[in-house]
Structure formats: C-alpha cells, structure tokens
Amino acid sequence: MRELTSRGYNADRDAVTLLADEPDPARAVEHVVEHAPADVLTISAAQVREALDARDDTEETATEGDRSDRPGPSATPSSESAESDESASPTAESANSATESASATTNSESSISTGRETTRTGEQDSGSAPETKGVGGGDGAAPGGSDGVADAMDADSIGAFERAVDETLHEVSIANDITGQSTGTGEYGDFVSVFRDRYDRLSSKLRGRVNHRPTNALESMGGGSEAAIVGMVNDIRSTASGHWLIELEDTNGVFPALVMKDRDIAAHVDELLMDEVIAVEGSLAQDGGILFVDSMHFPDVPRTYKPNTADRHVQAALISDVHVGSQEFADYAWESFARWLHTEEAEHVEYLLIAGDMVEGVGVYPEQDEELDIVDIYEQYEAFAEKLKQVPGDMEIVMIPGNHDAVRLAEPQPAFDEELRDIMSAHDARITGNPSTVTVEGVNVLMYHGVSIDEVIAEHPSESVSYDAPHRAMEQLLKKRHVAPQYGGRLRVAPEEKDYLVIDDVPDVFHTGHVHKLGVGTYNNVRLVNSGCWQEQTAFQKSVNIDPDVATAPILDLDTLDVTVRKFEN
Ligand code: D5M
Ligand code: FE
Ligand code: ZN
C-alpha cells in the first residue's frame, strides 16, 4: 500500500491483497503502476489482474534524483558518520590554499590595476553621486535600470564639508550569530539535530493555522475525514496522470499528499523546494493512505507585518561583493563611493552594512588565479582594510562573510578569525557570521550573503524570479522562513545543534548580495535589498551572461525604510 501511495495511487483492498500474494510484490507493483491508465487514482483488483496478465519481462528500474539523503525530522540519531563530512569541515578552505600560495605581491595598493586613468589622491573631484531611483515604502518595484551614469562631479564639496555625526546615538546589536557557537562535527547526529530544530521552529509557525495530526495517526482516522499535516518536504514527484505527489515528513514518519494538477494550489507546488516546512489540509482517501490536498500553507510573513523604524533620520548604505584582489575590482568606483560618503549628500549615512565577499579569495573556483590581482589571501584583506579606511571614521561598519571569504564555506559561516580581524582592525568594524540579524537603531536587518538565491532562481518556474530581480527570490526565502531551504544542492550546509538558517523573527529589512545584481523590493512590508557589486564582469560571468550591476549603493532611510539607489562612476 505504501509503495503504491508513494507513487500517487490509492488502491482497493483486494488489489493490495492480490499484489501482496505475488512472489515478488515490489516488481508486481512496478508493473501495475506502469500499466495503470493515465487518469486512474485508485487501482482496482481488476486493473491489477489485467496488468499482471499482460506482464512481460521488460522492466525498468525507477530512478531517483541524485540528491544525497539527509536524515529528516523523523530520523533517529545514530553514531554513523555523515557521508559528506566535507560540508561540515570547520577549516577555512580559502585560507588554507592561501597559506600554500606564494606571497607574490607585497604592495597591494600599487598592484591593483584598473586599466583606467584615476585621480585617487590629492585634489580629486568630489563624489556627487546621482540618485538613480528612490523606492518608497510599500512599493514592490525594483529600481529598474541603474543606468544613470554619473554626471560631472561637483568639485567644490570635498574638503568643504565636515561631517557632524553624534556617535553616541549609534546603536548596533547582533543576534543569531554562529561565531564561537559551532558545535557540529559532521556526525550523523548533528544532521538529525539541525533538521529537528528546523522542523520544530518552522512547524510551530504553522500549527496554529491548521488542525494537524502526526503522520502516524492519520491512517487510523478513517477514510474521507478532514485532516492536516505539518511536514518537511521530503519528495515531490508527478504521477503518471500529471498530479503532484508530495511526501511530507514530521517527527513520526512520512505521509503522501496528493495535489491535483487542475487545482489552483498546483501552482504552489512549482515553487516548493525540498526540505522546506509546509502545512497541507484536505481529506483522507477511503483507505486513509493518502491525503488529497485542498489548501497549502507556508510559514511566511504576516501580510500585516508592521516593521520597526528608527527614531531619527539616519541612513545606512547596504553593499556587498567588493571582491578586492580581483583584476576586475572596480577601484575607481570604490574611490568615488568613499569620496561621496564624505560629502554633504551623505551626511546622514552613518552605517555601512557589507553582506559578504569582501575579497576575491583564492581557490574559489577553477583557474581563478588567472584573474587575481593579489594572489595572497592575507594581502587581499590588507588591501580591503585600506578601502575601509577611506570610509568616514564616524560610520559604523557591520560585515558578514560570503563564499569568497576566508572562513568555512558551509553555512552558517562564522565571522572572520582573529588574524583577519587584526588585519581589518583599523576601522573597528563589527564582524559577524553569515547569516546574522543586525539591529540598527531599532531596525532589524537580516544580513545573509545569498548563495541560495542562485538555487531559488534556478528552481523557480517564473521568469519574474530572475537575476534581473533577485529581490523576487528573496521573497521566496521569507515565505519559507529559511535563508537556504534546500539541502544538498550547490549550497553547503554545516549541521549544528540548531538551525541558524531559519528566519525565526520577521526582519524589517532583508539584505543580501552574491548574485552581483541590484534588486530592491518589499514583501509584506519587509524591505528587500540585494546589493550589486564592486567587481566588473569576470570571464566566467561573461561566459554565462551575467551582466553585473557594478558600483551601485542602495541607501536605506532607517526612519522610513525608503531606499535610494546611488550609482557611482566605474
Ligand atoms: O558570485 C557571483 C555570481 O556568479 C553568483 O550568481 C554565482 C555566479 N557564479 C560565479 N562563479 C560561478 C561558478 N564558478 N559557477 C557557478 N556560478 C558562479 P560570486 O560568489 O561572487 O562568485
Ligand atoms: Fe560575490
Ligand atoms: Zn558570493
């Protein structure tokens, strides 16, 4: 019966008996499923007989995807070691490869070549940056083009303007930071804990909304009764007749839920990712072995969410993906951004949030060294520290690592270690893990580098969720209340005692980067900002047609959550 329901079929009792009496029931089921008419949902005894009579010996083996198995919330811890303990390795991979590579560059400043005439020192022009688009509260539109290239710079403001920042008003606190809390060793038991914790915390957001039953209690409820399940998505497949069969897992086991293809909710199925936690409601089949789904619920953000705002007019610049050390690092653009921060236009910009990829890193992808301007990872951070020194000293800087940084690649990523902190100490930045919740003057900003955005874009059926609108992918993460729902794809996840990637509290602002594309939007009143980058198009990006948004800085008003995108000349 289980075997049939797992393939999207219900069956009459006699049909099951016939199959069970076969010498090889598994093969028989295989056969019956193959021969079942396309539109049949419940297999009858007659159909079993017919299929078995018509049996020939050509049999196909069902193939599953190559997604590596993870223990779901119903698994029991054992002492077995996890297969992929590389994903849990606490070593800094890039740093390791860096120590092996020779330090070819000693003067990182002079080695950065931009291929441009720059006026970096002395009486250079000031950075008056054009405002490309203001995005008001409540409007979900992306800022569209960042095509307004800088006009002639306004030469009189530099030096003439003195920032008057009252640093005693600054308030920054950090929560949900893995740094120093990592206990995972990559053992099987760690995977069990992290998925349990994910299930517990996300299911608690759904339990009040449906009258759910544990999976192992459903079968005894009696055919036809109304029922609901809160479960982690364990498997999704389409049945021979094109309906969707979703296997949901809770702490007691698994249960199949069937979504009919012609129902409105079928559209939700396309958006599902493995391992996200959802609730479904519907009615049980006659024999109780499958749930026919009428409605689907996500942990989501309440539509009526009221974001927090700051008590005074103060702004934060939200950037990411600086990639210092890359030949494509947009040095000139950074200089104009840093200059602009010293102008009157930027007098209220008192915070700088950097969402990962400070440096280009070493050994991040094959043949990356051919595009490196600085080959030593520590020298890359030294060069980055010089870039930070150009930022006004009265600004508070908060930064998290990304996949190019010299910390472990698996998420959650702990913050930079002591050695790297020392290198970057000049500006006294706050250095925290990826992800982290950073509260700035009362506004909760969820900072996450954004590696899962690649995956959401790849999996989402709609063209509107694309590299040109990364904020639309961010909406999906908020809806699922998890920054990296799908385990086992290109994203590496380190198992920890709790799941740091769950979005427990609704943030006021969600700030990501990684895809090097600008995106600004709103989702149920949460402000979404995906920063662009400070790296020109790389050879790899060219090969896959990624046209990065270089040198744009979204400026967030902390008192209104309005965003103004500034574009700098690059
Ligand atoms: O990522 C910048 C963007 O480019 C992001 O969308 C991933 C994509 N990217 C970059 N390199 C690769 C490789 N080698 N494979 C697949 N996708 C890639 P960043 O983290 O700055 O490299
Ligand atoms: Fe990047
Ligand atoms: Zn990245």
Side-chain angles (χ1 to χ4, degrees):
M1 185 67 221
R2 276 228 176 273
E3 198 51 42
L4 279 170
T5 51
S6 79
R7 288 149 191 272
Y9 294 100
N10 213 336
D12 290 342
R13 200 166 294 274
D14 292 346
V16 177
T17 313
L18 276 176
L19 285 166
D21 287 345
E22 278 291 302
D24 186 346
R27 282 188 173 217
V29 166
E30 206 67 64
H31 229 80
V32 167
V33 168
E34 240 166 70
H35 283 81
D39 56 347
V40 81
L41 277 175
T42 303
I43 305 236
S44 66
Q47 277 158 349
V48 171
R49 274 189 213 102
E50 204 176 302
L52 295 182
D53 287 348
R55 161 168 37 192
D56 58 38
D57 286 324
T58 52
E59 291 191 334
E60 285 170 41
T61 343
T63 50
E64 284 280 356
D66 55 1
R67 175 171 165 263
S68 59
D69 265 349
R70 51 90 180 142
S74 67
T76 352
S78 89
S79 55
E80 261 178 82
S81 263
E83 280 167 52
S84 62
D85 53 4
E86 96 194 284
S87 66
S89 155
T91 56
E93 302 187 13
S94 335
N96 281 352
S97 32
T99 30
E100 284 155 27
S101 65
S103 340
T105 324
T106 44
N107 184 345
S108 51
E109 267 298 272
S110 63
S111 69
I112 294 175
S113 87
T114 61
R116 282 188 203 83
E117 294 292 315
T118 62
T119 48
R120 287 213 309 244
T121 49
E123 65 319 277
Q124 79 273 58
D125 26 21
S126 83
S128 173
E131 199 171 297
T132 61
K133 186 138 180 182
V135 180
D139 130 8
S146 42
D147 25 34
V149 176
D151 303 328
M153 298 259 181
D154 165 13
D156 12 330
S157 45
I158 192 96
F161 181 73
E162 279 284 327
R163 285 170 66 89
V165 168
D166 182 354
E167 291 178 63
T168 63
L169 297 175
H170 286 174
E171 279 174 31
V172 176
S173 61
I174 286 164
N176 193 47
D177 176 15
I178 178 71
T179 315
Q181 310 296 315
S182 178
T183 54
T185 54
E187 296 289 302
Y188 182 82
D190 293 333
F191 284 95
V192 175
S193 313
V194 78
F195 279 105
R196 276 263 161 117
D197 183 61
R198 176 190 301 200
Y199 178 76
D200 287 347
R201 284 153 73 207
L202 292 178
S203 65
S204 73
K205 298 184 193 303
L206 289 159
R207 275 186 213 131
R209 286 155 51 190
V210 294
N211 186 16
H212 85 291
R213 288 280 171 276
T215 48
N216 60 350
L218 287 168
E219 247 163 306
S220 55
M221 281 180 67
S225 36
E226 299 290 306
I229 311 172
V230 177
M232 189 178 277
V233 175
N234 202 30
D235 192 21
I236 307 169
R237 56 184 110 169
S238 64
T239 67
S241 34
H243 303 300
W244 292 106
L245 189 84
I246 305 166
E247 187 176 75
L248 291 173
E249 179 172 11
D250 67 6
T251 48
N252 297 286
V254 295
F255 202 84
L258 193 90
V259 177
M260 307 287 277
K261 63 182 173 198
D262 36 20
R263 301 288 301 266
D264 288 348
I265 47 167
H268 291 310
V269 180
D270 288 335
E271 292 192 345
L272 288 179
L273 291 177
M274 293 298 164
D275 312 321
E276 68 172 294
V277 178
I278 61 169
V280 292
E281 272 179 311
S283 50
L284 288 169
Q286 279 317 313
D287 76 327
I290 193 165
L291 182 82
F292 294 106
V293 181
D294 291 323
S295 64
M296 196 180 288
H297 307 263
F298 298 87
D300 223 326
V301 172
R303 275 169 201 276
T304 52
Y305 180 68
K306 264 187 76 72
N308 300 292
T309 52
D311 292 337
R312 61 180 186 121
H313 180 55
V314 59
Q315 297 175 310
L318 273 46
I319 65 165
S320 70
D321 300 277
V322 191
H323 289 267
V324 172
S326 158
Q327 285 169 10
E328 276 73 37
F329 169 58
D331 203 2
Y332 182 82
W334 180 271
E335 303 278 331
S336 51
F337 170 56
R339 272 204 305 281
W340 175 77
L341 288 173
H342 290 272
T343 67
E344 191 167 357
E345 267 178 355
E347 66 177 325
H348 298 296
V349 184
E350 299 184 22
Y351 297 92
L352 176 64
L353 309 187
I354 316 178
D357 287 359
M358 313 297 142
V359 300
E360 174 63 9
V362 173
V364 181
Y365 51 79
E367 290 168 44
Q368 183 199 24
D369 43 342
E370 286 167 26
E371 290 190 58
L372 287 181
D373 197 26
I374 306 174
V375 298
D376 181 277
I377 186 87
Y378 295 103
E379 285 173 20
Q380 290 183 2
Y381 282 100
E382 277 158 22
F384 174 69
E386 292 305 312
K387 301 296 153 201
L388 287 187
K389 285 184 195 163
Q390 299 168 343
V391 172
D394 55 41
M395 282 181 72
E396 287 273 353
I397 303 178
V398 183
M399 51 190 176
I400 63 168
N403 56 312
H404 283 250
D405 285 299
V407 301
R408 80 168 177 202
L409 193 53
E411 297 178 12
Q413 295 181 285
F416 302 116
D417 65 14
E418 285 309 318
E419 191 169 1
L420 293 173
R421 279 172 199 253
D422 264 4
I423 293 174
M424 292 182 275
S425 62
H427 205 295
D428 201 23
R430 309 233 179 183
I431 292 178
T432 178
N434 169 40
S436 284
T437 299
V438 181
T439 304
V440 184
E441 301 203 17
V443 178
N444 298 316
V445 183
L446 171 59
M447 293 180 72
Y448 169 62
H449 178 59
V451 170
S452 64
I453 294 174
D454 282 326
E455 197 146 75
V456 173
I457 290 174
E459 302 265 336
H460 199 279
S462 165
E463 301 252 314
S464 67
V465 178
S466 69
Y467 284 104
D468 288 327
H471 55 287
R472 301 299 313 277
M474 297 169 76
E475 292 176 8
Q476 292 292 316
L477 302 177
L478 282 177
K479 186 172 174 183
K480 302 170 194 309
R481 296 289 288 268
H482 199 280
V483 297
Q486 189 155 283
Y487 174 78
R490 59 188 103 183
L491 186 117
R492 290 166 190 232
V493 176
E496 297 287 352
E497 220 163 87
K498 72 171 224 188
D499 189 349
Y500 286 82
L501 307 176
V502 167
I503 306 174
D504 223 338
D505 298 318
V506 177
D508 305 313
V509 178
F510 187 14
H511 175 207
T512 57
H514 180 64
V515 294
H516 295 205
K517 295 295 278 184
L518 182 68
V520 180
T522 311
Y523 180 68
N524 293 351
N525 305 322
V526 177
R527 185 43 99 191
L528 311 173
V529 178
N530 193 86
S531 326
C533 62
W534 302 86
Q535 182 187 35
E536 304 289 349
Q537 191 182 48
T538 62
F540 169 80
Q541 289 166 349
K542 193 169 177 159
S543 75
V544 294
N545 246 338
I546 298 176
D547 183 19
D549 287 322
V550 187
T552 55
I555 310 295
L556 169 75
D557 281 3
L558 289 162
D559 49 338
T560 60
L561 305 192
D562 287 354
V563 171
T564 307
V565 177
R566 297 274 171 177
K567 166 78 182 155
F568 297 90
E569 201 180 341
N570 59 310

